Amino acid sequence: MTRSTLITASLTLFACNAALLSAAEPRSTGEIAAMIDAATEHSTIRVPAGVYHGRLSVQKAVRLEGGGEVVIDGGGTGNVVELLAPGIEFRGFTVRGSGSRVEMEPAAIFAGVGPVVIEDCRIDDALFGIDLRQASGSTVRGNFVMGRDLDPGRSGDGVRLWWSHDCLIENNTVVNSRDMVFWYSRNLRIVGNRVSGSRYGLHFMYSHDTLVEDNILTRNSVGAYLMYSQGITVRRNSMTRNRGASGYGIGLKDCDDILIESNAFLANRVGVYIDNSPSSTESWGLFVQNTFAFNEIGLLATPNTHDNVFTSNAFIENEEQAGVHGRGALSLNTFARDGVGNFWSDYNGFDRTGDGVGDMPYEPRSLFENLLASEPNLRFFLHSPAQQAVEFTARALPELRPQPKLIDPHPLVRPPKIVAPAAEEPSEGRLAILAISLALVGVASLTAWRLGRDPAPIRRERNRR
Amino acid sequence: MTTLTIEAGAPRGAACLSPPGAIARIARREFRDAAASRWFLLYTIGFAVLAIGVSFMSLAGSGSHGLAGFGRTAAGMLNLVMLVVPLMALTAGAGAIAGERERGTLLYILAQPVSRTEVILGKYLGLGLALCCSVWLGFGLSAGVVAWRAGGADVDAFLLLVLFTCALALAMLSVGVLISVMSRRVGIATGLGLFVWIALVFLSDLGLMAGTLIFKLRVQEVFAIGVANPLQAFKMSVIVAMNASLDVLGPVGVYASRQFGGSLAWILSGVLGAWIVTPLAAAIVLFSRRAPA
Amino acid sequence: MINAERVVKKFGRVAAVDGVSFSIEPGSALALWGSNGAGKTTLIRSLLGVIRFRGKITVDGIDVRRRGKLARSRIGYVPQELAFHDDARLASSMAFFASLRRAEPGAASAALEKVGLAGHERKRVRDLSGGMKQRLALAIALLADPPIIVLDEPTSNLDAAGRGDVVETLRKLKASGKTLIFASHRPDEVISLGDRVLVLEKGRLVSDTSPAELWPTEKAVQTLRLDLGGADEEAAAEILRGAGHAVHLNGRGLCVSVSRERRGVPLSVLASRSIEVRNFEILDDVRREADGSGPKQALTAHGSVR
């Protein structure tokens, strides 16, 4: 909540400055280039406030400071700012007006070499936001990228890394973009970013040995999509309401040695989607202390999925707690480690020994879900009483009961605490919903009271009496 | 002889009420009777308790994490609403005319200076408003639980849920009134109402499910048949209101979203509207042709 | 005031009312006379426009079939037994009907006053006695002061005292210029209230006459209450009706109206069919100056009379 307040505050600051600046006399980026030419290596250049038109190519290791009062407007062609020397720091600028031809991949800020630092910048009206190509060792921190209002598939990436290893991507905010995407980049730290309204919040392509922590990924098509990558740790992230075309909190495709720990997957279409991960029998996937709650499907896996271990996770009130994409079961995966299973909100066993572990295994069998697997069109009847009728029938007639989809031999009776950051501030809607509560009760009571009284004529009589 | 001279010659106060006036007075009377009746109180309390229960259960586990619990509460309520509200509305509607016919009070009210259309519309509006009050109360209390336990909620979606629930109640009431007009006795009317309830809530969906499995119905067929059921139209309306897309409902939902896009909400509302207007209109026509006792 | 032309109402193939025509002058009182099933109630419902029928009825010049609502605003209706929401209190029932009939403010309590129910406003309808219910129905009919009062056997469920009250009230109403139409099978009521009598039989109008002509020679008509000691009263009633007597059943026994001179006839009719009359009781006398010996044979067929 404090972070979001900060972001809101800084946004307001940006907006105010931009408004102030637009009134100022237009200037050319040539002025900045001239300042850079005049400066020595590693010196700091404080660019005077104003709106600078034109593109800017920085080829000397200088520290450029915009102080939040400088706008660079590329006017709609190509990259707006290009950072082409190692050691450049680019801080506190508003950059806008990149080109729009997708095949040229024009970006607001392009770095062709590393390390560079791109910090506290705001990017508007650009096809790609920040594009790092072979810029290893760079830092991208505290930037705000607002994508163009395009269909996510046709727009550019908010942040893109290409062959850029050992980078820190921290506290950036990306809205309405395609992806924050990492191609062939190793050993990254991706911490505290927020991505929303985009296609894939975080997108990994052949990017290994990376740490993903404390990010908030909401209302994207997929919160984080990990593809063909190894050795990624995903910890304390919040994936909420990712329900676009794919609608996964996290998708794993052909990924190995992945640790998914203490994340919250809330109200996504699918909490975690596993497609052939791990891809070989030597590698593993480990899910610890995650919360899967209120998703349409908590965990969805392709039938061949194997060798994943789930322990101490909480599966709470997902419409379908765990399912298989197509026919089959999850039996090649393990749902307990060292006698510690997972919490399942629909577990109806008990814990007589009081050790926090249920005495009977958790074995979900849902006829309706099985039917869904064979005839996806039946999903149309989800959320209707007929669905309950089918389950009830299956319970009443044992011969109709399907095999369990998975077995958790040691289910927990209490869910572990959620430690991931909250994606949404609860206080915001609370007053409104409280007001609605009062309004509805009030209207109902008032109507009943108004209409429930005797009509006027006779009352007047009675009063007179 | 013209009307004017008749009315001039009539004693004072003998001219009759305008149709809206008569409807309003009968509606008010009906509302009072409904609100004071035992079944209504029972339903209201039952609905409120269930709604609060669903809110509690749906929010259990999300704890203080601040997940806006409403999407979930709404989903839980969807099931509850689809079970309870049609039952309430159908039985209330079924008793409306048949009950009065059986007790002989229908003849008496029709002997007053009111038309049959006014009587049936007045009863419909009175009962409809009573049902809406019951729904408001239930949702209002559950919204209180959401505010207390979970905090945030999607206010627009919640209001739309309330709105569509009222529409569903009115549609089912309309069917109930039609049943009532056709039935001579309350017992028969209530029985028919229960049958329609089971048919709409369970049988039609189960039949369509079986059809989907056996005949491998295509998505457009499943949608076209399914949407005719007011309960499915209601369910989809709520899901569209909360999610803006029907992808939750799998291939059929995706098809509907793609095929109809922005007009989907209007189509669904149209189906609900038709279920309100058509049975009521049929009830009015039928009622004007039937003997009151 | 009221004009009926060739009114026909069929239920299935049975004609409940079959080609009845009549008319009534303002301020007069018309009795409908006939046994159960003769068509009195159907005719009254047709008059109110609450059932569909063939033919034409106008009330105050208003066609009840086409403008039933307006026609009903001219008519106050008192049913055989007030069927109304039992849980409602008098006050709220009165208020409802007052607003429905567009009565003046104060009309409700005035009407209650008129029928002697003032002070009972807080009572619930179900707690009223039969007589009070009937007076309540009358009070509702009097709201908005309609020129016509239509009553369907208003006294049939009342005891002697209740009947007396109602008849007295009606007499006053008639005196105040109201037009009355009432169904009855009690000669005493017909004689004391009616200016004219329509005699109905199986839906047909067999006579349009005056009470004096219908019972020209009688000194009095009496009502006997027969105690059959638990025998089938319905069957007995049918037998007596078959013998041309006016019969009705109520909770206390079987009542048959008969002229003073022929009191023994019902008893012998029943005896001839092996139904024993254990006891009988003479309920009341109709004080009326007349002469002659018995009711004229009223059941001679007449054509419909205008």
Side-chain angles (χ1 to χ4, degrees):
Chain A
M1 189 154 149
T2 29
R3 183 190 287 129
S4 82
T5 321
L6 264 174
I7 287 170
T8 320
S10 55
L11 287 185
T12 325
L13 206 66
F14 273 128
C16 291
N17 289 340
L20 277 174
L21 293 171
S22 58
E25 208 171 297
R27 309 167 79 151
S28 161
T29 47
E31 294 179 42
I32 305 176
M35 281 185 262
I36 296 169
D37 284 344
T40 56
E41 292 248 326
H42 305 299
S43 62
T44 299
I45 300 168
R46 177 69 174 85
V47 179
V51 178
Y52 295 81
H53 291 271
R55 298 161 62 185
L56 175 67
S57 180
V58 186
Q59 300 183 15
K60 189 188 283 181
V62 290
R63 193 178 292 136
L64 284 164
E65 302 275 357
E69 299 176 336
V70 177
V71 177
I72 298 178
D73 188 334
T77 45
N79 297 325
V80 182
V81 176
E82 294 185 340
L83 309 179
L84 301 174
I88 297 175
E89 296 184 19
F90 186 74
R91 190 174 284 118
F93 288 84
T94 296
V95 183
R96 67 192 186 201
S98 80
S100 49
R101 292 174 59 187
V102 180
E103 66 277 15
M104 305 293 289
E105 305 190 340
I109 302 174
F110 171 87
V113 66
V116 296
V117 174
I118 300 168
E119 199 169 359
D120 296 335
C121 288
R122 179 189 167 93
I123 289 159
D124 275 329
D125 185 32
L127 192 64
F128 281 65
I130 298 169
D131 190 5
L132 270 57
R133 295 207 177 198
Q134 299 172 39
S136 294
S138 297
T139 298
V140 178
R141 185 191 287 125
N143 302 288
F144 180 89
V145 180
M146 170 65 84
R148 281 184 177 153
D149 199 10
L150 296 169
D151 177 65
R154 282 175 46 231
S155 64
D157 297 317
V159 174
R160 177 168 65 172
L161 272 64
W162 179 279
W163 287 103
S164 301
H165 311 303
D166 309 311
C167 291
L168 172 64
I169 312 294
E170 191 176 16
N171 294 350
N172 300 285
T173 300
V174 173
V175 181
N176 288 348
S177 162
R178 187 166 66 185
D179 304 343
M180 189 185 265
V181 63
F182 311 99
W183 288 89
Y184 313 110
S185 302
R186 256 176 205 286
N187 197 27
L188 308 174
R189 287 200 298 139
I190 297 156
V191 182
N193 301 285
R194 292 178 80 108
V195 185
S196 61
S198 300
R199 188 183 66 165
Y200 301 159
L202 304 177
H203 186 188
F204 294 83
M205 295 297 283
Y206 310 98
S207 289
H208 312 310
D209 306 321
T210 279
L211 179 67
V212 180
E213 264 184 3
D214 296 317
N215 300 285
I216 296 178
L217 309 168
T218 62
R219 296 177 194 271
N220 306 291
S221 174
V222 174
Y225 217 143
L226 280 56
M227 297 176 175
Y228 318 109
S229 302
Q230 298 158 17
I232 296 185
T233 297
V234 181
R235 189 182 284 132
R236 285 195 310 275
N237 301 282
S238 173
M239 282 76 164
T240 305
R241 293 182 194 281
N242 298 294
R243 351 186 27 115
S246 304
Y248 310 142
I250 284 188
L252 300 174
K253 177 158 181 54
D254 294 295
C255 288
D256 296 302
D257 305 342
I258 304 291
L259 171 62
I260 309 280
E261 188 181 355
S262 300
N263 300 284
F265 304 101
L266 306 177
N268 306 289
R269 205 172 65 70
V270 174
V272 169
Y273 175 66
I274 305 178
D275 178 0
N276 196 34
S277 297
S279 61
S280 74
T281 44
E282 288 91 61
S283 48
W284 48 270
L286 180 58
F287 293 77
V288 185
Q289 282 210 338
N290 300 288
T291 299
F292 301 75
F294 309 131
N295 305 289
E296 300 300 325
I297 305 174
L299 167 68
L300 182 66
T302 48
N304 51 355
T305 299
H306 57 86
D307 290 311
N308 288 292
V309 175
F310 294 83
T311 180
S312 295
N313 300 288
F315 290 83
I316 299 169
E317 292 288 322
N318 301 290
E319 191 65 47
E320 187 176 349
Q321 300 275 39
V324 182
H325 199 109
R327 286 169 184 275
L330 293 164
S331 48
L332 297 175
N333 302 281
T334 314
F335 286 88
R337 191 178 64 176
D338 304 332
V340 178
N342 303 276
F343 173 81
W344 307 89
S345 60
D346 55 339
Y347 177 63
N348 43 23
F350 39 80
D351 173 25
R352 212 178 294 149
T353 50
D355 59 356
V357 174
D359 299 344
M360 295 167 356
Y362 170 77
E363 299 177 327
R365 311 158 192 257
S366 160
L367 179 58
F368 188 73
E369 286 172 11
N370 273 35
L371 289 175
L372 279 187
S374 63
E375 176 54 69
N377 281 357
L378 288 183
R379 192 165 277 277
F380 179 69
F381 299 98
L382 209 66
H383 296 300
S384 69
Q387 179 194 353
Q388 259 76 11
V390 168
E391 299 295 10
F392 182 80
T393 314
R395 226 166 291 151
L397 301 171
E399 53 268 36
L400 279 179
R401 260 194 119 178
Q403 289 299 307
K405 269 188 291 197
L406 63 92
I407 296 175
D408 182 341
H410 307 292
L412 305 179
V413 293
R414 272 178 302 277
K417 249 195 137 44
I418 304 177
V419 290
E424 292 168 26
E425 298 73 44
S427 55
E428 196 181 333
R430 174 171 265 173
L431 273 181
I433 200 78
L434 195 66
I436 285 178
S437 165
L438 292 177
L440 285 176
V441 173
V443 166
S445 322
L446 195 70
T447 312
W449 180 70
R450 281 281 304 163
L451 298 185
R453 290 180 310 170
D454 284 333
I458 201 80
R459 285 194 326 127
R460 225 172 289 151
E461 290 315 301
R462 212 184 313 143
N463 292 347
R464 209 174 54 191
R465 231 166 251 282
Chain B
M1 211 189 292
T2 66
T3 318
L4 259 177
T5 52
I6 293 161
E7 287 184 336
R12 81 194 149 81
C16 42
L17 285 168
S18 68
I23 291 169
R25 283 164 172 84
I26 294 168
R28 181 175 185 162
R29 175 94 206 174
E30 194 66 25
F31 180 90
R32 281 181 56 137
D33 285 351
S37 71
R38 223 165 288 141
W39 66 261
F40 187 78
L41 214 66
L42 219 66
Y43 272 136
T44 305
I45 293 171
F47 183 67
V49 166
L50 286 171
I52 292 170
V54 168
S55 320
F56 258 114
M57 300 234 295
S58 304
L59 300 175
S62 71
S64 58
H65 190 250
L67 166 71
F70 193 68
R72 185 65 208 172
T73 310
M77 287 214 128
L78 214 58
N79 255 311
L80 171 67
V81 162
M82 287 170 77
L83 273 176
V84 176
V85 169
L87 183 65
M88 262 169 95
L90 278 168
T91 47
I97 302 291
E100 297 237 1
R101 201 196 299 272
E102 191 172 299
R103 277 175 289 162
T105 52
L106 186 60
L107 181 82
Y108 192 58
I109 192 101
L110 289 176
Q112 306 302 321
V114 290
S115 76
R116 291 188 173 208
T117 306
E118 288 161 10
V119 168
I120 200 165
L121 279 179
K123 291 180 84 66
Y124 180 79
L125 288 180
L127 281 174
L129 191 60
L131 284 171
C132 286
C133 276
S134 175
V135 165
W136 293 334
L137 211 64
F139 276 122
L141 292 173
S142 90
V145 170
V146 173
W148 170 42
R149 291 282 300 229
D154 186 346
V155 169
D156 293 350
F158 184 82
L159 286 179
L160 281 168
L161 173 65
V162 176
L163 183 78
F164 284 123
T165 303
C166 290
L168 178 67
L170 291 178
M172 293 294 95
L173 181 64
S174 191
V175 175
V177 167
L178 177 60
I179 290 170
S180 196
V181 166
M182 293 191 300
S183 314
R184 195 157 283 280
R185 309 190 67 83
V186 192
I188 293 167
T190 310
L192 262 174
L194 287 175
F195 175 76
V196 170
W197 178 70
I198 289 173
L200 288 177
V201 171
F202 295 113
L203 298 184
S204 65
D205 278 3
L206 290 174
L208 188 50
M209 269 188 205
T212 310
L213 281 171
I214 296 165
F215 303 113
K216 293 284 166 203
L217 292 178
R218 288 173 301 166
V219 285
Q220 54 267 49
E221 291 161 343
V222 176
F223 178 76
I225 301 172
V227 78
N229 185 336
L231 284 154
Q232 290 290 358
F234 161 77
K235 181 185 89 179
M236 286 189 270
S237 299
V238 174
I239 290 173
V240 167
M242 289 193 302
N243 257 356
S245 162
L246 277 183
D247 58 5
V248 178
L249 299 182
V252 178
V254 171
Y255 158 79
S257 288
R258 293 237 175 98
Q259 183 75 21
F260 303 109
S263 54
L264 183 60
W266 295 109
I267 291 174
L268 297 172
S269 307
V271 170
L272 279 176
W275 274 96
I276 295 176
V277 173
T278 316
L280 185 62
I284 290 172
V285 170
L286 216 64
F287 189 49
S288 69
R289 286 155 190 235
R290 281 190 70 109
Chain C
M1 202 69 192
I2 294 177
N3 226 319
E5 287 173 35
R6 291 185 296 280
V7 176
V8 176
K9 174 65 193 178
K10 287 187 173 171
F11 294 109
R13 298 174 68 183
V14 184
V17 172
D18 195 358
V20 173
S21 303
F22 65 91
S23 64
I24 312 172
E25 295 308 308
S28 66
L30 179 75
L32 303 176
W33 170 266
S35 60
N36 286 352
K40 304 188 296 281
T41 297
T42 306
L43 192 57
I44 283 176
R45 290 179 183 177
S46 305
L47 189 65
L48 290 164
V50 296
I51 55 175
R52 289 146 67 87
F53 59 90
R54 292 215 310 266
K56 185 175 183 183
I57 301 178
T58 58
V59 171
D60 215 358
I62 305 158
D63 187 336
V64 300
R65 285 204 315 183
R66 289 159 76 192
R67 310 188 63 198
K69 184 178 160 185
L70 187 63
R72 285 191 291 275
S73 72
R74 306 285 194 275
I75 303 174
Y77 168 64
V78 179
Q80 189 166 358
E81 185 171 16
L82 177 66
F84 202 67
H85 301 150
D86 281 351
D87 286 335
R89 293 186 196 281
L90 240 65
S92 75
S93 289
M94 286 300 283
F96 170 61
F97 286 105
S99 72
L100 218 52
R101 302 200 69 114
R102 295 193 71 177
E104 302 281 313
S109 51
L112 286 179
E113 198 94 48
K114 206 178 272 181
V115 300
L117 282 176
H120 295 280
E121 285 87 347
R122 296 293 297 159
K123 279 196 177 147
R124 290 182 192 279
V125 173
R126 66 157 164 254
D127 297 331
L128 298 183
S129 70
M132 287 165 94
K133 270 191 190 168
Q134 221 46 7
R135 279 186 279 160
L136 174 61
L138 198 53
I140 293 171
L142 292 174
L143 287 166
D145 203 18
I148 303 164
I149 310 283
V150 173
L151 309 98
D152 189 0
E153 307 203 12
T155 61
S156 62
N157 291 314
L158 302 183
D159 59 14
R163 273 203 304 277
D165 284 350
V166 170
V167 170
E168 191 51 39
T169 313
L170 292 179
R171 212 201 303 271
K172 277 184 202 153
L173 285 172
K174 189 185 159 197
S176 73
K178 301 278 185 215
T179 309
L180 298 184
I181 299 180
F182 64 101
S184 177
H185 50 234
R186 296 186 62 83
D188 51 334
E189 286 172 17
V190 176
I191 290 164
S192 66
L193 281 173
D195 296 320
R196 276 166 56 210
V197 187
L198 297 186
V199 179
L200 294 168
E201 190 193 350
K202 289 181 179 160
R204 300 191 71 86
L205 178 62
V206 293
S207 171
D208 180 350
T209 179
S210 68
E213 280 181 60
L214 194 54
W215 295 283
T217 55
E218 74 188 325
K219 267 208 167 88
V221 176
Q222 291 184 323
T223 299
L224 304 187
R225 183 158 74 207
L226 307 181
D227 176 5
L228 301 182
D232 186 349
E233 292 184 335
E234 287 285 356
E238 276 311 308
I239 291 163
L240 287 173
R241 281 190 196 113
H245 294 279
V247 183
H248 78 274
L249 285 165
N250 64 18
R252 292 177 292 277
L254 186 148
C255 298
V256 52
S257 301
V258 66
S259 69
R260 174 167 294 183
E261 286 75 13
R262 303 181 62 191
R263 279 197 302 233
V265 174
L267 306 184
S268 55
V269 167
L270 289 177
S272 72
R273 303 288 287 270
S274 318
I275 296 175
E276 184 201 356
V277 177
R278 189 181 293 175
N279 195 358
F280 70 91
E281 181 186 1
I282 301 168
L283 289 179
D284 50 14
D285 285 314
V286 176
R287 286 166 295 279
R288 186 183 156 89
E289 297 302 318
D291 58 340
S293 55
K296 177 179 161 186
Q297 274 302 310
L299 307 177
T300 23
H302 289 223
S304 58
V305 186
R306 286 294 305 268

